[in-house]
Amino acid sequence: MLIKEIFVKDLSRKINGVVKAEQREPSVIWQELDEFVVTKELKSHVEKFFQTYLEFLDSPDDVAAGNRNGVWISGFFGSGKSHFLKILSYLLSNIQATDPVTSKTKIAVDFLKDKIADPLLFGDIKRAVNFSCDVILFNIDSKADVHEDSQAQLLSVFTKVFNELQGFCGQYPYVANLEYELQKEGLLEAFRADFEASAGISWVEARDAFHFRRDEIIESLKRVRNMSHDSAEKWFDGAEEAYTNSPELFSKRIKQYLDTKPANHRIIFMVDEMGQFIGTDGQQMLKLQTIVEDLGIYCGGQAWVVVTSQEDMDSTIGDMQARQRNDFSKIQGRFKCRLSLSSANTDEVIQSRLL
């Protein structure tokens, strides 16, 4: 017998050493769920997260519970915070994973049956993931427009990923706004079909080259919305300049979206590397504060923001206060749930995951 044959797992398999939010291949999802190790420390973090998450479901009329709609996950490189964030995203979206070898399927929560011995905690997790939920997981730096002003970047990224969730244009928010208005009128599918028939290319393929399709778009708007040529032309030429956005408008749009979903439906923005993106920019931190605050005001506990950072919140804010003396008391209240991951159980993770 060879030494490699005494281990449960194949030692020659490929192991993803760095977990990335954008990697969503079926084989990656299965491996990340299958090889997730619940150490004693991580069990306490899982427990704290789901206690916070279930507060609104258990007390939907509790305003205070709705105000605590942020989670701050901190930990230095190698602590597993990105892996932890992805596991939470798989659980909350109730994703079904497929084994790349056997093709058998398994829902995310079932991977935890043998990893969490506490039946009460496992029961809470199962109860939480049974509610419908939209999970938007992304690395914020990869989504940000480098040519955009830093003060507008944060809100633009949140708006972009929300537009993409709905199938709208992510590249140009004013194009997404057109799609949103057409959808409200029940005309979006008719517009797409008319545009494809006249332009010979699907709307989804063409919309990122928006300015090169001016004539086709104007003609389709005229036919579908019964607009005059002047009105359609005026709309097209002024769309970008007329577009406006703010944390309040964004949050109201989220609320309108949630109102079309079942009761207790949630939308969760899971943002990897938020701390590195903000850095020591106090204005960016205040913008994050405003986004989370307005989501809490207009959506209650139905809209959540979960972020990762190398530093814990107190350290990040403390550094900013020393330099700029801003008041960050509100954001501290929004991110009541703070999970600090360490590398203390590396040996346990290596033994369980690799061998």
Side-chain angles (χ1 to χ4, degrees):
M1 176 181 286
L2 300 176
I3 293 177
K4 66 179 183 180
E5 295 174 353
I6 68 175
F7 297 106
V8 173
K9 297 176 181 176
D10 180 9
L11 295 184
S12 63
R13 74 190 186 282
K14 292 183 179 179
I15 297 173
N16 188 9
V18 179
V19 174
K20 300 180 180 68
E22 294 79 10
Q23 289 184 311
R24 303 280 292 182
E25 296 85 358
S27 60
V28 172
I29 294 172
W30 181 275
Q31 186 179 60
E32 288 176 345
L33 282 164
D34 186 47
E35 298 185 357
F36 179 61
V37 180
V38 183
T39 63
K40 185 178 180 180
E41 178 191 277
L42 274 180
K43 177 181 175 294
S44 68
H45 294 323
V46 171
E47 188 171 18
K48 185 175 180 180
F49 174 85
F50 281 100
Q51 281 178 348
T52 304
Y53 185 75
L54 286 168
E55 278 184 2
F56 179 76
L57 286 174
D58 294 334
S59 306
D61 298 324
D62 184 355
V63 177
N67 288 341
R68 296 189 288 270
N69 59 326
V71 179
W72 189 282
I73 302 172
S74 62
F76 289 104
F77 184 80
S79 62
K81 62 183 183 298
S82 294
H83 194 180
F84 183 59
L85 183 73
K86 283 192 81 173
I87 294 298
L88 290 178
S89 77
Y90 295 151
L91 291 170
L92 294 169
S93 58
N94 209 17
I95 197 170
Q96 181 171 274
T98 303
D99 188 330
V101 177
T102 65
S103 296
K104 74 173 182 178
T105 60
K106 194 174 180 180
I107 59 173
V109 69
D110 286 343
F111 282 88
L112 298 186
K113 279 182 180 178
D114 300 324
K115 300 177 188 288
I116 294 179
D118 184 343
L120 293 177
L121 175 56
F122 185 70
D124 281 344
I125 297 172
K126 289 199 72 172
R127 184 160 65 92
V129 303
N130 279 333
F131 289 91
S132 62
C133 181
D134 287 310
V135 176
I136 308 177
L137 173 70
F138 60 99
N139 182 306
I140 189 164
D141 195 49
S142 69
K143 289 285 186 180
D145 185 346
V146 295
H147 300 294
E148 195 170 30
D149 179 80
S150 63
Q151 299 309 313
Q153 277 184 335
L154 198 60
L155 179 60
S156 293
V157 172
F158 274 80
T159 302
K160 178 179 183 178
V161 296
F162 177 57
N163 285 336
E164 290 174 344
L165 170 71
Q166 300 171 91
F168 298 158
C169 180
Q171 186 71 22
Y172 302 109
Y174 47 91
V175 177
N177 200 50
L178 165 67
E179 295 172 310
Y180 168 74
E181 293 297 335
L182 288 171
Q183 181 172 273
K184 276 204 311 183
E185 297 173 8
L187 298 174
L188 180 56
E189 292 307 315
F191 171 80
R192 287 176 171 174
D194 187 277
F195 177 86
E196 184 170 355
S198 61
I201 184 174
S202 75
W203 168 249
V204 173
E205 291 178 281
R207 64 189 178 188
D208 283 346
F210 180 76
H211 294 289
F212 293 98
R213 298 287 178 175
R214 181 179 185 275
D215 293 344
E216 293 99 326
I217 293 172
I218 288 173
E219 291 301 316
S220 290
L221 284 173
K222 284 169 55 181
R223 287 189 289 267
V224 172
R225 296 193 74 246
N226 295 317
M227 298 174 73
S228 68
H229 184 84
D230 286 346
S231 295
E233 198 172 53
K234 185 177 180 181
W235 179 90
F236 182 97
D237 293 334
E240 184 173 2
E241 186 177 344
Y243 173 77
T244 184
N245 198 13
S246 70
E248 180 182 6
L249 290 173
F250 170 71
S251 300
K252 287 180 177 179
R253 186 69 62 87
I254 297 283
K255 175 59 176 170
Q256 291 170 359
Y257 173 78
L258 289 169
D259 287 343
T260 67
K261 300 295 181 179
N264 282 324
H265 182 87
R266 293 184 179 186
I267 182 168
I268 306 178
F269 297 90
M270 309 196 84
V271 195
D272 201 16
E273 308 294 0
M274 176 64 84
Q276 290 87 313
F277 183 79
I278 290 174
T280 56
D281 188 341
Q283 292 303 312
Q284 289 277 47
M285 180 64 92
L286 287 171
K287 183 66 74 174
L288 174 62
Q289 170 182 304
T290 305
I291 292 170
V292 178
E293 183 177 351
D294 282 358
L295 285 173
I297 291 171
Y298 293 102
C299 307
Q302 289 184 269
W304 284 64
V305 177
V306 184
V307 306
T308 68
S309 173
Q310 287 196 359
E311 289 186 309
D312 60 41
M313 174 168 281
D314 290 334
S315 299
T316 303
I317 292 176
D319 188 35
M320 292 179 181
Q321 284 176 326
R323 297 180 184 187
Q324 301 171 5
R325 302 188 183 280
N326 286 319
D327 179 12
F328 294 98
S329 58
K330 288 183 180 179
I331 196 169
Q332 288 175 311
R334 292 290 174 184
F335 286 88
K336 278 288 187 183
C337 183
R338 304 177 205 171
L339 312 175
S340 181
L341 278 61
S342 72
S343 305
N345 303 109
T346 305
D347 56 339
E348 182 181 350
V349 172
I350 292 173
Q351 181 178 345
S352 299
R353 183 181 182 192
L354 303 188
L355 305 180

